[in-house]
Amino acid sequence: MAALVTCQGNVAYADSKFWGNTVQDGAQVTLLNASDLHQLHSDSDKGSAGSKPKFAYASVANCGSNTPDSPAPDDFCSGALTLCAGNSPEQGLGPSVRLFRRTVDAAGKPTGQWVQYGVTCFPEAAPGPARPRVTMAMVLAAFHDTDFAKPSVQIQPKGNVTLVTLPTYFETRWPQAGFEPEEVDQVDPARMAGFRVEIRPKLASITYVYGDGSTSGATTSLGGPYPTGDVTKTYRQPGDFAVRADVTYSGQFRVGGGAWVDIPGTVTIRGSAQTLSVRTAHARLVAD
């Protein structure tokens, strides 16, 4: 089902899972889904009566007054990102691109001017000459492949031994291995069309798992030692409990040292568990 979408300054005011007409920069254009693009490829490949295709296509980032004759270098401008924000992979992750076409003769020589044909959140599927391009799908894949730091928990009282009814303090600690929040990972350019792409994990939340069926969080607190730490647990029964801190990472990326851009979605990493022994203290009177 198609829906009319109005864009002002390249900002979309509708759910981009619908496809149909859109008004962008004062002109009506078409939002194209994956099936539309597949059909354009098919039509171009077939041509007519063995001749060259009737139309030639080109795509450029959906940024400002970007055209095939004056392409903008930034594929991840706010306009290109906003149109595809919140999409599922089936709806196209973007960044959005403008698809242009012009008529050509049998030899492929242009016989007309570039005319904007549509806008799509499937940049990797747009017809036309292939050019190196970083897509959100590539960024998401790299983000999920990041070697995230796997946190551990420091416990007080020290020695991982506490008493029933005694408040026990927990603190999240980051290991040397892996990328903790705010540390920057540089993605192999070979998987990013030759571009320099950096990913910066961000702390979305921590869930403290106490091993007795209870948890606390989600929170952004790292906890801390006695007496100032704000992540505590009082056990009511003795026993040995596997405790850990599970971290949910969000992230940002940038291309070529440009502005940081939020990555959709999160990744949750299960923390390293350790055993906490909870004991019962017994009081007795001793004669002098």
Side-chain angles (χ1 to χ4, degrees), residues 7 13 15 25 51 63 110 132 158 164 167 214 220-221 227 233 243 284:
C7 298
Y13 294 98
D15 188 338
D25 297 335
S51 66
C63 304
K158 292 182 178 181
V164 169
S214 67
T220 56
S221 174
K233 162 74 175 176
V243 300
R284 63 177 180 174

Side-chain angles (χ1 to χ4, degrees), residues 185-258:
D185 180 17
Q186 299 207 18
V187 184
D188 183 357
R191 65 182 299 185
M192 288 292 165
F195 289 90
R196 180 167 62 91
V197 176
E198 298 170 292
I199 289 179
R200 179 170 66 182
K202 308 284 286 186
L203 175 61
S205 65
I206 304 173
T207 298
Y208 292 87
V209 181
Y210 298 119
D212 63 347
S214 67
T215 62
S216 65
T219 177
T220 56
S221 174
L222 298 179
Y226 171 85
T228 58
D230 60 353
V231 178
T232 63
K233 162 74 175 176
T234 300
Y235 288 86
R236 301 300 178 185
Q237 298 293 332
D240 291 334
F241 302 97
V243 300
R244 67 179 195 272
D246 296 342
V247 175
T248 297
Y249 288 95
S250 58
Q252 296 179 317
F253 77 98
R254 65 181 178 183
V255 180

Side-chain angles (χ1 to χ4, degrees), residues 37 43 86 95 109 144 177 179 182 189 196 209 220 247 255 276:
L37 298 176
D43 291 345
K109 183 178 180 180
H144 283 268
F179 292 91
E182 306 302 331
R196 180 167 62 91
V209 181
T220 56
V247 175
V255 180
L276 171 65

